[in-house]
Every structure is written in structure tokens, then in C-alpha cells.
Amino acid sequence: MSVTGFAHPWWFLLFVAVVALLGWYLWAQRRRKRNVMRFTNLELLEKVAPKRQGWVRHVAPALLLVSMALLTVAMTGPTGEQRVPRNRATVMLVIDVSLSMKSTDVKPDRLTAAQNAAKAFADGLTPGVNLGLISFAGSAAVVVAPTAERAPVKHAIDNLRLGAGTATGDSIASAVAAVDSFGKLITGPDGRPPSRIVLMSDGKQTIPASLDEPRGAFAEAKNAKNAGMPISAISFGTEYGSIEIDGRSQLVPVDDDSMKQIATLSGGDFHKAATESELRRVYDNLGEQIGYETKRADASRPWVVLGTLTLLIAAAVSLVLGQRIP
């Protein structure tokens, strides 16, 4: 029951009437007591006056006053913070499919674990969120444009294929462009819907060589921030991951530092996952953040319910004890 923030605080003036009724009741009780004391023949008074229930007779009026106070608070329109599903939001899920994703340091391998977690993420998002998918290796491709349908996204996740190279900057640029294009189609009176880029990668950018170049991840992360699209960067994998290329084992350690910097430059957040279960937890937390928002909403219902129940109890007590409604 919220007591912070009221839509119609002037209804608190009704408490003057509640206090006045309380004062009148107390005055009436004192007056009745004085009238009784004026009756000089106390023996006759005991015979003709009905037996009273002592303090019990005050229960019904007290409950009546309490119910009036509760209903008065309800009329003021109390508000409270409530967690409600978003009905407008766009998320681009960006998944690294470079060759390093076939490393088996995450069982059964990085790509399969990422696919399983990504599909669970899609299933867990609230229906009002539009979800799109981008895959990237040596280049980035918009696999599924933002949509409220989850089936196309999950089907595309199942069909991700590995490729050479890691063009992280291009993937961010593609995500920004996709969200911007989709936002123009659904922009309403409140402006473009809120948007987020969820970037999952296991390795360091290789195309272009520098992260700070115009097509580099750091430069594109800054562009994403300017476009109002924070990046939730997920660094997936371990430092001891390896793959086999031409019969030789090659280390493919995860690049936490670059992913952390991408998140910082975009105004987003960084997450690290070294197992499929950890990746699922990261996605679950992101789903909660993205799919729901905290708003101030009407919180008068509990006050109305409690006030009404108290009023009914007051009437019942009065009928049982005095055969009348107060």
C-alpha cells in the first residue's frame, strides 16, 4: 500500500469531516454519561436501562471511522512504483559467428551454447518488444529485421553459420541503421521507441585492424551513443579457448577489455559469461531490464479494498451487538 505521491491530494480535506465525527462521538458519549449521573434513583435506572456492552459498544463506530479514513486516502489517488511490461521497444541481438565460436571451451561449443541462450532470451522477452537479429564475422548482415514475432528470430538463430574475420564495428553500425529504419516506421507522438543493442562476441575485432578507425568498434560505439542506442556487451568464452586451423591449434581467448570499452563508450553495460548457464543468466537479466519498466501508477485499489472490508465488518459487528447498523 503506497503512501508516496497522490494524484488528488485535496481530498485529504475530508479528514476534517472524519475528525469532526470522532469529536462528535466522544462528545456524545460524555453527554450520555452526564445524563445518566443526573438520574438520582440508581436502583430504578438499573432496572429500566438496557445493559450495555462496555468498551465493546465502541468497536463498530471505531471501525466505521477507520473505514472512512481508508476510503478518504483512496480518493486522493495514491500512486506507487510498479513494474509494467514495455509496449514499445526495439532490441537488436548481434551475435558473433567468427571461426573462434567453434571453440569447445564452452560446452558443447561456443556457437551452440550461444544459440541456445539466445533462443531462450527471445522467448523470455515481453510481447511488446520488437526483436531483430544481426550476425557478423568478416562482415555484418541483418538476418531478421525487428519484429514482434519470435519464430523468425529463433529460426534464424538456429541457422547461424561460422565465417572468417570479426567485423565488430560493422555489426554495431548495421544494428544502429536497422533500429533507425524501423524506428521511423513506428514513431508515435512520444517519439521513437526506446532501443537497445545486445552485442555478444568472444574475440577481438580483426576488421578493421584498429578499434578506433572509422569502421572500428570504438568509433561505432560512440555513434551508437549519439543515436541513443546503448550497447549491452556480453563477453562470451574463456581465456584458454582454442580452435584447429590447418591441423594446428590456435588460441582464441575472449577479449573482455574491448567489450567493456564498447559498452562504456555507448553508455551501455558490460557482462561476462564463461559458460552457457552464465550466458543464460545474463540474457535473463537483460530481458528483465529491457522488457519491463518502472512507472508511477495508480495504487488506490488496496486502500479501497481494505476500506470496504472494514466498513462491512463494522456493519456486521453493529448488527451482532446492537441489532442495528451504525
Side-chain angles (χ1 to χ4, degrees), residues 4-15 72-79:
T4 59
F6 299 92
H8 314 291
W10 54 85
W11 282 108
F12 274 118
L13 293 174
L14 283 179
F15 270 112
T72 296
V73 174
M75 293 177 67
T76 64
T79 60

Side-chain angles (χ1 to χ4, degrees), residues 233-299:
I234 306 173
S235 183
F236 182 51
T238 67
E239 295 179 358
Y240 52 83
S242 64
I243 60 174
E244 190 173 296
I245 299 179
D246 297 329
R248 301 179 62 181
S249 178
Q250 180 175 323
L251 284 175
V252 284
V254 69
D255 187 10
D256 293 336
D257 293 338
S258 295
M259 294 293 283
K260 187 179 297 184
Q261 186 67 5
I262 289 171
T264 300
L265 291 173
S266 71
D269 41 56
F270 170 77
H271 308 272
K272 179 175 175 58
T275 65
E276 181 179 339
S277 60
E278 288 180 3
L279 183 59
R280 283 178 179 268
R281 282 196 293 273
V282 170
Y283 274 134
D284 285 343
N285 291 334
L286 288 175
E288 291 290 312
Q289 296 172 20
I290 296 169
Y292 295 86
E293 59 186 327
T294 301
K295 289 184 174 181
R296 295 206 69 83
D298 178 71

Side-chain angles (χ1 to χ4, degrees), residues 40 87 165 207 241 253 279:
T40 56
N87 55 11
I207 303 172
L279 183 59

Side-chain angles (χ1 to χ4, degrees), residues 93 95 97 109 111-120 122-123 133 135 143-144 150-162 280:
L93 183 57
I95 299 180
V97 292
D109 58 68
L111 179 60
T112 302
Q115 288 171 314
N116 293 336
K119 287 187 291 183
D123 283 333
L133 176 67
S135 66
V143 184
V144 180
R150 301 294 182 247
V153 178
K154 292 167 61 179
H155 178 74
I157 291 172
D158 277 331
N159 288 281
L160 292 176
R161 297 293 180 264
L162 298 176
R280 283 178 179 268

